[in-house]
Amino acid sequence: MVFARRGGIGRYYDVNGWLFVAPALGLIALFMVYPILWSLWMSFQAGRGMMMKFVGFGNIIRLWNDPVFLKALTNTMTYFVVQVPIMIVLALILASLLNNPRLVGRGIFRTAIFLPCVTSLVAYSVLFKGMFAIDGIVNSTLQAIGIVSSPIPWLTHPFWAKTLVIIAITWRWTGYNMIFYLAALQNIDKSIYEVARIDGVPAWARFTHITIPLLKPVILFTTVISTIGTLQLFDEVYNLTEGKGGPSNATLTLSLYIYNLTFRFMPNFGYAATVSYVIVVLVAVLAFLQFFAARERDR
């Protein structure tokens, strides 16, 4: 047992715990803290490799004069505003349906809904590109039942391409949130519902006045992680648009723009680092607002 003096006569503390966690702290400092600090320093520079030069706040000023960045920021916020509420509400509805013990085949439905979360991203992207191609099964079905008269250009029209990305994200991650809601619903004391039912409280009122309040911590958690995931959106857009964010940057996100600035076109590591800190600020601000709003509702 190793002790070290903390201060004062006869006051010591055990350093064995610090010795035990020192390797982990060293790895965290090496692979997390150092890259964060280095990227922060890079955000005040421009160029790449040995050609980096200090520009101060020049990258920040450049952001607001960069139409591609503004387009990527607009797209990212659009995904956040549209997709996150859809995914949260849909996950809650599906969890409520699967929580019904009288539903036949609950296990099959639960597995089918959650399966996209663990599906290979490459296979999932190939599947979606095939399904939503001009001659794909989606357009063929919509034409067969008379909803559209001509194929929808899912991958070549700006509006429909953005809609396809939202559909793809929702399809892939709704099941992930649903599992949290389902676990929370199954942990609610059934006697609470029994008392409300005996008192004549209708089903909708039980859901809004009992279920929703008891699920607030889980709703907050899924909202925050969905917000973080959406603001960092990269994989779906990269695979569906072959890394271009097209058509005409209609689906370009901040993360994909960072990738392009770093590895494609004319690499600019400093400017890419600046854009990455825009995501950090957005995540921090939106997460704070969500926690603050949840705390205010609980008062």
Side-chain angles (χ1 to χ4, degrees):
M1 186 74 69
V2 181
F3 294 92
R5 183 178 293 276
R6 183 172 59 185
I9 300 175
R11 299 176 65 185
Y12 295 86
Y13 66 92
D14 182 9
V15 299
N16 288 284
W18 288 106
L19 293 174
F20 181 76
V21 301
L25 292 177
L27 291 174
I28 291 174
L30 178 63
F31 293 106
M32 292 188 65
V33 178
Y34 173 73
I36 290 173
L37 295 177
W38 180 246
S39 65
L40 181 61
W41 169 245
M42 284 180 60
S43 67
F44 294 100
Q45 303 180 64
R48 60 172 178 167
M50 300 300 293
M51 297 182 289
M52 298 283 286
K53 62 178 182 178
F54 184 79
V55 295
F57 294 101
N59 286 330
I60 298 177
I61 297 173
R62 178 183 171 183
L63 287 176
W64 310 112
N65 297 315
D66 181 359
V68 180
F69 164 77
L70 295 176
K71 182 66 174 178
L73 178 62
T74 302
N75 291 340
T76 302
M77 295 307 296
T78 300
Y79 293 137
F80 163 70
V81 172
V82 176
Q83 185 264 332
V84 171
I86 292 176
M87 188 165 59
I88 295 300
V89 173
L90 184 58
L92 181 55
I93 292 173
L94 292 172
S96 300
L97 293 174
L98 292 175
N99 193 45
N100 183 359
R102 292 175 294 182
L103 179 65
V104 179
R106 283 198 304 166
I108 297 175
F109 288 122
R110 182 169 58 243
T111 302
I113 296 171
F114 183 73
L115 188 60
C117 301
V118 294
T119 302
S120 166
L121 185 61
V122 175
Y124 143 80
S125 301
V126 170
L127 173 66
F128 254 72
K129 291 177 72 172
M131 288 174 57
F132 288 87
I134 289 295
D135 56 350
I137 187 173
V138 173
N139 276 328
S140 299
T141 303
L142 292 176
Q143 288 180 282
I145 60 181
I147 294 180
V148 297
S149 57
S150 59
I152 297 175
W154 293 101
L155 298 170
T156 57
H157 187 279
F159 173 79
W160 291 114
K162 192 174 297 182
T163 302
L164 176 59
V165 171
I166 293 174
I167 293 172
I169 304 169
T170 303
W171 180 80
R172 183 170 175 81
W173 294 114
T174 296
Y176 179 78
N177 290 327
M178 181 202 70
I179 293 298
F180 290 104
Y181 289 129
L182 187 57
L185 286 170
Q186 291 175 348
N187 283 321
I188 296 176
D189 190 351
K190 301 298 186 292
S191 63
I192 300 175
Y193 293 108
E194 290 298 330
V195 171
R197 191 177 294 108
I198 292 172
D199 288 341
V201 180
W204 177 250
R206 293 197 300 269
F207 182 77
T208 55
H209 291 87
I210 298 177
T211 304
I212 296 298
L214 292 175
L215 290 180
K216 277 185 178 180
V218 182
I219 293 174
L220 176 61
F221 171 75
T222 54
T223 302
V224 170
I225 62 172
S226 297
T227 297
I228 294 172
T230 302
L231 293 178
Q232 296 177 337
L233 180 62
F234 174 82
D235 295 337
E236 286 80 3
V237 177
Y238 180 86
N239 284 279
L240 289 174
T241 65
E242 298 178 354
K244 300 175 182 178
S248 303
N249 293 327
T251 60
L252 183 69
T253 62
L254 290 175
S255 293
L256 183 56
Y257 189 39
I258 293 169
Y259 171 83
N260 290 338
L261 286 170
T262 306
F263 301 107
R264 301 179 66 190
F265 309 138
M266 292 294 291
N268 187 332
F269 296 166
Y271 188 52
T274 304
V275 178
S276 70
Y277 273 93
V278 173
I279 298 179
V280 172
V281 172
L282 286 174
V283 168
V285 170
L286 291 174
F288 171 78
L289 292 176
Q290 289 166 354
F291 277 106
F292 179 79
R295 189 177 65 176
E296 288 298 313
R297 285 196 299 266
D298 289 337
R299 289 184 177 179

